[in-house]
Amino acid sequence: IGESRLIARVATALAKPDGCVHLDRSTAQAHIDKLQIRDLPGVGPRTAARIWDVFRAATCGELREKVTRPQLTQCLGRKNGDRLFDLLRGVDTRPWEPRPGRKSVGAQVSWGVRFDEDDQATAFLRQLCSEVCARMAEYGVRGRSAGLKVWRAVQGAPDLLRKGSVGHGLCDILNRSLTRGTSFSGQDEHELGRDVVSLWKQLAIPAKQVRGFGVHVSKLDCDATASRARPTVCRIAAARKRSVFNIQTVPEWAKGFMDPEASSSPHPPSPGAQPIAVDLDAYELQIDSSDSTAARRDRPSAKKQRTRSGAEQAIQHLIDILEDELRAAEALAVQEASAPNSSLLSERGALTGGLASPVRIMVEGCLEDAMHQLVFQGQHVVGAHGAMALDSAISKARSLQDRWKGLLPPTPLHATLSQLAFALQTVWCAICDNAAEALLAVKPGGGGDSSGS
DNA sequence: CATCTGGCCAATATTGCTGG
DNA sequence: CCAGCAATATTGGCCAGATG
């Protein structure tokens, strides 16, 4: 726990395993000084090497003592130099956005890729373009820029650096892109393929040296909020029926969930069931540091009070909703157990071989302690945290709330519960909306992990 | 011995900065 | 504004120690 993302990250590292550490700015500095420069966000191997070449500094403490802001901006550029100078002092102003809007669509394969002939590489690229177009069509976006990424094997690199016989091993990664006046749509597979293949030909790399390809379309001309990054179960559920999933507002489908007329769900919710959704905008949430800076002195204490109590209300609100949802889920489970063949889900399950094994949904919150594992068998919640029931998970959330009260700034715990709600909401949507199909689509044939997680 | 739990890491999917 | 490229974020697979 810290006042910035960087300090929270340092604290998290100190807290492992199985603990929790709260660092304020003054105590954080000593820990930041010990970090390797490479450990700072935004510093990769090239930047770290450059800093070593110019300043002969390997740790944050060394660099902080040796270098002025102008020296750093001269070495790394204005933006990176300024940012790194601040990070060295624990100042990290990056905002946290749980689900930023999508800005590109792509697909890449860099595992198990081997070609003998150029034609094979070209055919593979066209397939990749086809996949990208399918995703663009699914998300309903168009884009003007096509990008190609190529993994090229470093000649003579030792096999030790390769995982198994099909890993990409040590590679140079090359990027090329081009921007057009008009945009590609999901139907423009041929045009995208033509542009990407021309970028590939410009590189003139022998097909035998290729270890992977990536194709990306960016400069999207769409409502960036309409398609969220990181598609998982919710994307599949959403693609089937719903258009937007956004925890910050009550989604349309959640409203529909309450109205049997508006939903094709085979399982109309029991009377009184509430969708798990919370309007975060209704609460003023912010992380307060515990030190007394001028900014804090200037801030009215009444406002601080409101902030904290708003968050506590939000947490309570979420818990109430979760408990309502649990009751509704239990009622539905009982109803289903008494007439299993009446449900569309059961029919689909029979057709596809059913969900033979439980489906586990992992929910990771901001706090390790708040990790929950929900287990579904078919459409029934059969456990959480292994044998723990869903209500126990909620009890655990309650005990966490008590445990951290007074110590924890409001946001992290609230975020944890929001994420739990998010997952429940997503899963609940999927369950009510042909879950078997959606979940089997996630992992066709249920291969891999025997529990189908 | 099976399951739980936490952690690591490669693969995958973006995002954002700099220099021209 | 664009191309090139470095870096981050997220996911899933796997593993090993702990636990019952």
Side-chain angles (χ1 to χ4, degrees):
Chain A
I1 302 166
E3 69 179 68
S4 69
R5 289 171 68 180
L6 174 67
I7 295 177
R9 190 160 123 168
V10 171
T12 302
L14 290 171
K16 292 184 181 200
D18 194 25
C20 185
V21 169
H22 179 200
L23 285 181
D24 60 29
R25 176 79 70 83
S26 55
T27 50
Q29 188 63 61
H31 294 290
I32 293 170
D33 282 349
K34 285 184 219 155
L35 291 180
Q36 297 293 306
I37 295 164
R38 177 73 176 79
D39 293 335
L40 293 175
V43 179
R46 311 249 173 174
T47 306
R50 181 127 201 236
I51 287 169
W52 174 253
D53 288 344
V54 177
F55 303 115
R56 294 285 158 195
T59 66
C60 294
E62 288 166 15
L63 189 62
R64 186 172 62 85
E65 284 177 6
K66 278 184 178 177
V67 180
T68 63
R69 190 185 285 271
Q71 286 173 319
L72 210 50
T73 51
Q74 193 180 10
C75 174
L76 302 176
R78 187 179 49 79
K79 202 114 182 183
N80 279 337
D82 274 340
R83 190 162 45 89
L84 186 55
F85 187 84
D86 289 338
L87 286 176
L88 292 170
R89 288 153 181 80
V91 177
D92 181 1
T93 54
R94 291 171 299 159
W96 184 71
E97 270 194 89
R99 289 200 165 237
R102 175 182 297 278
K103 293 184 180 165
S104 69
V105 179
Q108 61 184 47
V109 182
S110 59
W111 196 84
V113 174
R114 298 291 185 279
F115 303 117
D116 289 323
E117 308 292 340
D118 283 354
D119 286 352
Q120 293 171 325
T122 307
F124 186 87
L125 267 178
R126 289 193 187 281
Q127 279 184 291
L128 214 46
C129 291
S130 169
E131 172 61 24
V132 171
C133 282
R135 292 180 188 189
M136 287 168 70
E138 185 181 339
Y139 306 147
V141 298
R142 305 172 63 91
R144 287 195 302 124
S145 183
L148 170 68
K149 184 174 181 180
V150 182
W151 280 255
R152 181 181 62 191
V154 171
Q155 296 305 290
D159 275 353
L160 288 173
L161 296 173
R162 201 173 69 194
K163 190 180 181 184
S165 57
V166 283
H168 62 64
L170 191 61
C171 283
D172 293 321
I173 297 176
L174 306 158
N175 293 277
R176 292 293 182 272
S177 64
L178 62 82
T179 301
R180 316 194 318 169
T182 56
S183 56
F184 303 101
S185 76
Q187 276 69 52
D188 296 330
E189 192 178 319
H190 181 72
E191 284 79 1
L192 179 62
R194 187 191 57 213
D195 284 359
V196 167
V197 168
S198 78
L199 288 170
W200 159 239
K201 302 249 184 210
Q202 284 168 26
L203 285 169
I205 297 171
K208 279 183 187 295
Q209 290 179 16
V210 173
R211 294 292 179 271
F213 278 134
V215 172
H216 307 274
V217 172
S218 54
K219 299 194 195 308
L220 301 185
D221 49 356
C222 64
D223 174 6
T225 61
S227 175
R228 296 273 158 180
R230 292 293 144 205
T232 53
V233 175
C234 78
R235 187 198 88 191
I236 288 157
R240 274 160 214 291
K241 185 168 176 60
R242 329 289 188 187
S243 57
V244 178
F245 187 89
N246 182 352
I247 190 69
Q248 293 190 344
T249 54
V250 177
E252 282 306 306
W253 65 260
K255 291 172 187 162
F257 177 59
M258 299 180 69
D259 174 11
E261 294 297 313
S263 167
S264 67
S265 163
H267 309 295
S270 51
Q274 297 285 319
I276 306 175
V278 63
D279 183 357
L280 298 191
D281 293 337
Y283 309 98
E284 185 186 356
L285 295 176
Q286 60 186 68
I287 297 178
D288 266 337
S289 62
S290 56
D291 62 355
S292 55
T293 61
R296 275 176 55 79
R297 276 201 305 276
D298 293 339
R299 196 180 301 148
S301 60
K303 182 174 177 184
K304 228 168 53 189
Q305 195 61 42
R306 274 205 310 277
T307 300
R308 182 171 288 277
S309 89
E312 284 170 0
Q313 279 174 30
I315 291 167
Q316 190 56 55
H317 180 58
L318 265 168
I319 289 173
D320 291 343
I321 290 171
L322 287 169
E323 286 179 336
D324 284 349
E325 195 62 20
L326 170 68
R327 280 192 284 276
E330 282 173 342
L332 197 58
V334 169
Q335 184 188 322
E336 275 305 307
S338 61
N341 293 329
S342 65
S343 84
L344 179 58
L345 183 73
S346 296
E347 286 166 21
R348 285 179 187 277
L351 285 173
T352 57
L355 291 170
S357 53
V359 176
R360 289 188 294 156
I361 309 293
M362 301 289 290
V363 186
E364 265 191 90
C366 292
L367 303 169
E368 281 185 19
D369 264 354
M371 178 184 285
H372 299 280
Q373 181 172 318
L374 310 181
V375 183
F376 293 84
Q377 182 107 47
Q379 70 193 101
H380 305 307
V381 177
V382 297
H385 250 307
M388 191 195 290
L390 186 56
D391 53 354
S392 302
I394 292 170
S395 301
K396 181 162 185 174
R398 254 193 207 290
S399 72
L400 277 167
Q401 183 194 13
D402 292 340
R403 183 172 155 194
W404 297 111
K405 213 169 191 173
L407 165 66
L408 190 69
T411 303
L413 180 55
H414 182 229
T416 296
L417 288 166
S418 294
Q419 286 166 2
L420 177 58
F422 177 92
L424 281 168
Q425 190 176 36
T426 303
V427 168
W428 188 245
C429 162
I431 285 169
C432 291
D433 203 354
N434 308 338
E437 201 175 88
L439 293 170
L440 286 170
V442 173
K443 198 156 197 69
D449 190 332
S450 61
S451 59
S453 63

Coordinates of all heavy atoms in Angstrom, one line a residue, chain A residues 5 41-47 175-179 230 443, chain C residues 1-15:
Chain A
R5 N 1.5 4.5 -7.5 CA 1.6 3.1 -8.0 C 3.0 2.6 -7.8 O 3.2 1.4 -7.5 CB 1.3 3.1 -9.5 CG -0.2 3.4 -9.8 CD -0.5 3.6 -11.2 NE -0.2 2.4 -12.1 CZ -0.4 2.4 -13.4 NH1 -0.8 3.5 -14.0 NH2 -0.3 1.3 -14.0
P41 N 9.2 1.2 -13.6 CA 8.3 1.1 -14.8 C 8.8 2.1 -15.9 O 9.2 3.2 -15.6 CB 7.0 1.5 -14.2 CG 7.3 2.3 -13.0 CD 8.5 1.7 -12.4
G42 N 8.8 1.6 -17.1 CA 9.3 2.4 -18.2 C 10.7 2.3 -18.5 O 11.2 2.9 -19.5
V43 N 11.4 1.6 -17.7 CA 12.9 1.3 -18.0 C 13.1 -0.1 -18.4 O 12.8 -1.0 -17.6 CB 13.7 1.6 -16.7 CG1 15.2 1.3 -17.0 CG2 13.5 3.0 -16.2
G44 N 13.4 -0.3 -19.6 CA 13.7 -1.6 -20.2 C 15.2 -1.8 -20.3 O 16.0 -1.0 -19.8
P45 N 15.6 -2.9 -21.0 CA 17.0 -3.2 -21.1 C 17.8 -2.1 -21.8 O 18.9 -1.7 -21.4 CB 17.1 -4.5 -21.9 CG 15.7 -4.6 -22.5 CD 14.8 -3.9 -21.6
R46 N 17.2 -1.5 -22.8 CA 18.0 -0.4 -23.6 C 18.2 0.8 -22.7 O 19.3 1.4 -22.7 CB 17.2 -0.1 -24.9 CG 16.8 -1.2 -25.6 CD 17.5 -1.4 -26.9 NE 17.1 -2.6 -27.6 CZ 17.5 -3.0 -28.8 NH1 18.3 -2.2 -29.5 NH2 17.2 -4.1 -29.3
T47 N 17.1 1.3 -22.1 CA 17.2 2.5 -21.3 C 18.2 2.2 -20.1 O 19.1 3.1 -19.8 CB 15.9 2.8 -20.7 OG1 15.0 2.9 -21.8 CG2 15.9 4.1 -20.0
N175 N 9.7 -4.2 -36.4 CA 8.3 -3.7 -36.6 C 8.3 -2.8 -37.9 O 9.2 -2.1 -38.1 CB 7.9 -2.8 -35.4 CG 7.8 -3.6 -34.2 OD1 6.7 -4.2 -34.0 ND2 8.8 -3.7 -33.4
R176 N 7.3 -3.0 -38.6 CA 7.1 -2.1 -39.8 C 5.6 -1.8 -39.8 O 4.7 -2.6 -39.4 CB 7.5 -2.8 -41.1 CG 9.0 -3.0 -41.2 CD 9.7 -1.7 -41.3 NE 11.2 -2.0 -41.5 CZ 12.0 -2.1 -40.5 NH1 11.6 -2.0 -39.3 NH2 13.3 -2.3 -40.8
S177 N 5.3 -0.6 -40.2 CA 3.8 -0.3 -40.3 C 3.6 0.7 -41.5 O 4.5 1.4 -41.9 CB 3.3 0.3 -39.0 OG 4.0 1.5 -38.7
L178 N 2.4 0.8 -41.8 CA 2.0 1.9 -42.8 C 0.6 2.4 -42.5 O -0.2 1.6 -42.0 CB 2.1 1.3 -44.3 CG 1.2 0.2 -44.7 CD1 -0.1 0.7 -45.1 CD2 1.9 -0.5 -45.9
T179 N 0.4 3.6 -42.9 CA -1.0 4.2 -42.6 C -1.6 4.6 -44.0 O -0.9 5.1 -44.8 CB -0.8 5.4 -41.7 OG1 -0.2 5.0 -40.5 CG2 -2.1 6.1 -41.4
R230 N -8.7 -6.5 -23.3 CA -8.6 -7.8 -22.5 C -9.9 -8.6 -22.6 O -10.6 -8.7 -21.6 CB -8.3 -7.4 -21.0 CG -7.0 -6.9 -20.8 CD -6.0 -8.0 -21.2 NE -4.8 -7.4 -21.8 CZ -4.0 -8.0 -22.6 NH1 -4.2 -9.3 -22.9 NH2 -3.0 -7.4 -23.1
K443 N -12.5 -22.6 -24.0 CA -11.5 -23.7 -24.0 C -12.1 -24.8 -24.7 O -12.6 -25.7 -24.1 CB -11.1 -24.0 -22.6 CG -9.8 -24.8 -22.5 CD -9.2 -24.7 -21.1 CE -7.8 -25.0 -21.1 NZ -7.0 -24.1 -21.8
Chain C
dC1 P -2.3 15.6 -36.8 OP1 -3.7 15.6 -37.5 OP2 -2.2 15.2 -35.4 O5' -1.4 14.6 -37.7 C5' -1.1 14.9 -39.0 C4' 0.0 13.9 -39.5 O4' 1.3 14.3 -38.9 C3' -0.3 12.5 -39.1 O3' -0.2 11.7 -40.2 C2' 0.7 12.2 -38.1 C1' 1.9 13.1 -38.4 N1 2.8 13.5 -37.3 C2 4.2 13.4 -37.5 O2 4.6 13.0 -38.6 N3 5.0 13.8 -36.5 C4 4.5 14.2 -35.4 N4 5.4 14.6 -34.4 C5 3.1 14.3 -35.2 C6 2.3 14.0 -36.1
dC2 P -0.7 10.2 -40.2 OP1 -1.5 10.0 -41.4 OP2 -1.3 9.9 -38.9 O5' 0.7 9.4 -40.3 C5' 1.6 9.9 -41.3 C4' 2.9 9.2 -41.0 O4' 3.6 9.8 -39.9 C3' 2.8 7.7 -40.6 O3' 3.6 6.9 -41.5 C2' 3.3 7.6 -39.2 C1' 4.2 8.8 -39.1 N1 4.3 9.5 -37.7 C2 5.5 9.7 -37.2 O2 6.5 9.4 -37.8 N3 5.6 10.3 -35.9 C4 4.5 10.6 -35.3 N4 4.6 11.1 -34.1 C5 3.2 10.3 -35.8 C6 3.1 9.8 -37.1
dA3 P 3.5 5.4 -41.5 OP1 3.3 4.9 -42.9 OP2 2.5 4.9 -40.5 O5' 4.9 5.0 -41.0 C5' 6.1 5.6 -41.6 C4' 7.3 5.2 -40.8 O4' 7.3 5.9 -39.6 C3' 7.4 3.7 -40.6 O3' 8.7 3.3 -40.8 C2' 7.0 3.6 -39.1 C1' 7.4 4.9 -38.5 N9 6.6 5.5 -37.4 C8 5.2 5.5 -37.3 N7 4.8 6.0 -36.3 C5 5.9 6.5 -35.6 C6 6.1 7.2 -34.4 N6 5.1 7.6 -33.6 N1 7.4 7.5 -34.0 C2 8.4 7.1 -34.8 N3 8.3 6.4 -36.0 C4 7.0 6.1 -36.3
dG4 P 9.2 1.8 -40.6 OP1 10.2 1.6 -41.6 OP2 8.0 0.9 -40.6 O5' 9.8 1.8 -39.2 C5' 10.9 2.7 -38.9 C4' 11.2 2.6 -37.5 O4' 10.2 3.2 -36.7 C3' 11.4 1.2 -37.0 O3' 12.7 1.1 -36.4 C2' 10.3 1.0 -36.0 C1' 10.0 2.5 -35.5 N9 8.7 2.7 -35.1 C8 7.5 2.4 -35.6 N7 6.4 2.8 -35.0 C5 7.0 3.5 -33.9 C6 6.3 4.2 -32.8 O6 5.1 4.3 -32.7 N1 7.2 4.7 -32.0 C2 8.6 4.7 -32.1 N2 9.3 5.3 -31.2 N3 9.2 4.0 -33.1 C4 8.4 3.5 -33.9
dC5 P 13.2 -0.3 -35.9 OP1 14.7 -0.3 -36.1 OP2 12.4 -1.4 -36.5 O5' 12.9 -0.2 -34.4 C5' 13.3 0.9 -33.6 C4' 12.7 0.9 -32.3 O4' 11.3 1.2 -32.4 C3' 12.8 -0.4 -31.6 O3' 13.3 -0.2 -30.3 C2' 11.4 -0.9 -31.5 C1' 10.6 0.5 -31.4 N1 9.2 0.5 -31.7 C2 8.3 1.2 -30.9 O2 8.8 1.9 -30.0 N3 7.0 1.2 -31.2 C4 6.6 0.5 -32.2 N4 5.2 0.5 -32.5 C5 7.4 -0.3 -33.1 C6 8.7 -0.3 -32.8
dA6 P 14.1 -1.2 -29.5 OP1 15.6 -1.0 -29.8 OP2 13.5 -2.6 -29.7 O5' 13.8 -0.8 -28.0 C5' 13.8 0.6 -27.7 C4' 12.8 0.8 -26.6 O4' 11.4 0.8 -27.1 C3' 12.9 -0.2 -25.5 O3' 12.9 0.5 -24.3 C2' 11.6 -1.0 -25.7 C1' 10.6 0.0 -26.3 N9 9.6 -0.6 -27.2 C8 9.8 -1.5 -28.2 N7 8.7 -1.9 -28.8 C5 7.7 -1.2 -28.2 C6 6.4 -1.1 -28.4 N6 5.7 -1.8 -29.3 N1 5.7 -0.3 -27.6 C2 6.3 0.4 -26.6 N3 7.6 0.5 -26.4 C4 8.3 -0.4 -27.2
dA7 P 13.1 -0.3 -22.9 OP1 13.9 0.6 -22.0 OP2 13.6 -1.7 -23.2 O5' 11.6 -0.4 -22.4 C5' 10.9 0.8 -22.2 C4' 9.5 0.4 -21.9 O4' 8.9 -0.1 -23.1 C3' 9.3 -0.7 -20.8 O3' 8.8 -0.1 -19.7 C2' 8.3 -1.7 -21.5 C1' 7.8 -1.0 -22.7 N9 7.6 -1.9 -23.8 C8 8.5 -2.7 -24.4 N7 8.0 -3.4 -25.4 C5 6.7 -3.1 -25.4 C6 5.6 -3.6 -26.2 N6 5.7 -4.5 -27.1 N1 4.4 -3.1 -25.9 C2 4.3 -2.2 -24.9 N3 5.2 -1.7 -24.1 C4 6.4 -2.2 -24.4
dT8 P 8.3 -1.0 -18.4 OP1 8.5 -0.2 -17.2 OP2 8.9 -2.3 -18.5 O5' 6.8 -1.2 -18.7 C5' 6.0 0.0 -19.0 C4' 4.6 -0.4 -19.2 O4' 4.5 -1.2 -20.4 C3' 4.0 -1.3 -18.0 O3' 2.7 -0.8 -17.7 C2' 3.9 -2.7 -18.6 C1' 3.7 -2.4 -20.1 N1 4.2 -3.4 -21.0 C2 3.4 -4.0 -22.0 O2 2.2 -3.6 -22.0 N3 3.9 -4.9 -22.8 C4 5.2 -5.3 -22.8 O4 5.6 -6.2 -23.7 C5 6.1 -4.7 -21.8 C7 7.5 -5.2 -21.8 C6 5.5 -3.8 -21.0
dA9 P 1.9 -1.3 -16.5 OP1 1.1 -0.2 -15.9 OP2 2.8 -2.1 -15.6 O5' 0.9 -2.4 -17.2 C5' 0.0 -1.9 -18.2 C4' -1.0 -3.0 -18.6 O4' -0.3 -3.9 -19.5 C3' -1.5 -3.8 -17.4 O3' -2.9 -3.9 -17.6 C2' -0.7 -5.1 -17.5 C1' -0.4 -5.2 -19.0 N9 0.8 -5.9 -19.4 C8 2.1 -5.7 -18.9 N7 3.0 -6.4 -19.5 C5 2.3 -7.1 -20.4 C6 2.7 -8.0 -21.4 N6 4.0 -8.4 -21.5 N1 1.8 -8.5 -22.2 C2 0.5 -8.1 -22.1 N3 0.0 -7.3 -21.2 C4 1.0 -6.8 -20.4
dT10 P -3.8 -4.7 -16.5 OP1 -5.1 -4.1 -16.6 OP2 -3.0 -4.9 -15.3 O5' -3.9 -6.1 -17.2 C5' -4.5 -6.2 -18.5 C4' -4.4 -7.6 -19.0 O4' -3.0 -8.0 -19.3 C3' -4.9 -8.7 -18.0 O3' -6.0 -9.3 -18.7 C2' -3.7 -9.6 -17.7 C1' -2.9 -9.4 -19.0 N1 -1.4 -9.6 -18.8 C2 -0.8 -10.4 -19.7 O2 -1.3 -11.0 -20.6 N3 0.6 -10.5 -19.5 C4 1.3 -9.9 -18.5 O4 2.5 -10.0 -18.4 C5 0.6 -9.0 -17.6 C7 1.3 -8.3 -16.5 C6 -0.7 -8.9 -17.8
dT11 P -6.9 -10.4 -17.9 OP1 -8.3 -10.3 -18.5 OP2 -6.6 -10.4 -16.5 O5' -6.3 -11.8 -18.5 C5' -6.1 -11.9 -19.9 C4' -5.4 -13.2 -20.2 O4' -4.0 -13.0 -19.9 C3' -5.9 -14.4 -19.3 O3' -6.4 -15.4 -20.1 C2' -4.6 -14.9 -18.6 C1' -3.5 -14.2 -19.4 N1 -2.3 -13.9 -18.7 C2 -1.0 -14.3 -19.1 O2 -0.9 -15.0 -20.1 N3 0.0 -13.9 -18.4 C4 0.0 -13.1 -17.2 O4 1.0 -12.8 -16.7 C5 -1.3 -12.7 -16.8 C7 -1.5 -11.8 -15.6 C6 -2.4 -13.1 -17.6
dG12 P -7.1 -16.7 -19.6 OP1 -8.2 -17.1 -20.5 OP2 -7.4 -16.5 -18.1 O5' -6.0 -17.7 -19.7 C5' -5.3 -17.9 -20.9 C4' -4.1 -18.8 -20.8 O4' -3.1 -18.2 -20.0 C3' -4.5 -20.1 -20.0 O3' -3.9 -21.2 -20.7 C2' -3.9 -19.9 -18.6 C1' -2.7 -19.0 -18.9 N9 -2.2 -18.1 -17.9 C8 -3.0 -17.4 -17.0 N7 -2.3 -16.7 -16.2 C5 -1.0 -16.9 -16.5 C6 0.2 -16.5 -16.0 O6 0.4 -15.7 -15.0 N1 1.3 -17.0 -16.6 C2 1.3 -17.9 -17.6 N2 2.5 -18.3 -18.1 N3 0.2 -18.4 -18.2 C4 -0.9 -17.9 -17.6
dG13 P -4.2 -22.7 -20.3 OP1 -4.6 -23.4 -21.5 OP2 -5.0 -22.8 -19.1 O5' -2.7 -23.2 -20.0 C5' -1.6 -22.9 -20.9 C4' -0.3 -23.3 -20.2 O4' 0.1 -22.3 -19.3 C3' -0.4 -24.6 -19.5 O3' 0.8 -25.4 -19.9 C2' -0.4 -24.2 -18.0 C1' 0.4 -22.9 -18.0 N9 0.0 -22.0 -17.0 C8 -1.2 -21.6 -16.6 N7 -1.2 -20.7 -15.6 C5 0.1 -20.5 -15.4 C6 0.7 -19.6 -14.5 O6 0.2 -18.9 -13.6 N1 2.1 -19.7 -14.6 C2 2.8 -20.5 -15.4 N2 4.2 -20.4 -15.4 N3 2.3 -21.3 -16.3 C4 0.9 -21.3 -16.2
dC14 P 0.9 -26.9 -19.4 OP1 1.6 -27.6 -20.5 OP2 -0.4 -27.4 -18.9 O5' 1.9 -26.7 -18.2 C5' 3.1 -25.9 -18.4 C4' 3.7 -25.7 -17.0 O4' 3.0 -24.7 -16.3 C3' 3.8 -26.9 -16.1 O3' 5.1 -27.2 -15.9 C2' 3.1 -26.5 -14.8 C1' 3.1 -24.9 -15.0 N1 2.0 -24.2 -14.3 C2 2.4 -23.2 -13.3 O2 3.5 -23.0 -13.1 N3 1.4 -22.6 -12.7 C4 0.1 -22.9 -13.0 N4 -0.8 -22.2 -12.3 C5 -0.3 -23.9 -13.9 C6 0.7 -24.5 -14.5
dC15 P 5.6 -28.6 -15.3 OP1 6.7 -29.1 -16.0 OP2 4.4 -29.5 -15.0 O5' 6.1 -28.1 -13.9 C5' 6.9 -26.9 -13.8 C4' 7.0 -26.5 -12.4 O4' 5.8 -25.7 -12.1 C3' 7.1 -27.6 -11.4 O3' 8.2 -27.4 -10.5 C2' 5.8 -27.5 -10.6 C1' 5.4 -26.1 -10.7 N1 4.0 -25.7 -10.6 C2 3.6 -24.7 -9.8 O2 4.4 -24.0 -9.2 N3 2.2 -24.4 -9.7 C4 1.3 -25.1 -10.4 N4 0.1 -24.8 -10.2 C5 1.7 -26.2 -11.2 C6 3.0 -26.5 -11.3

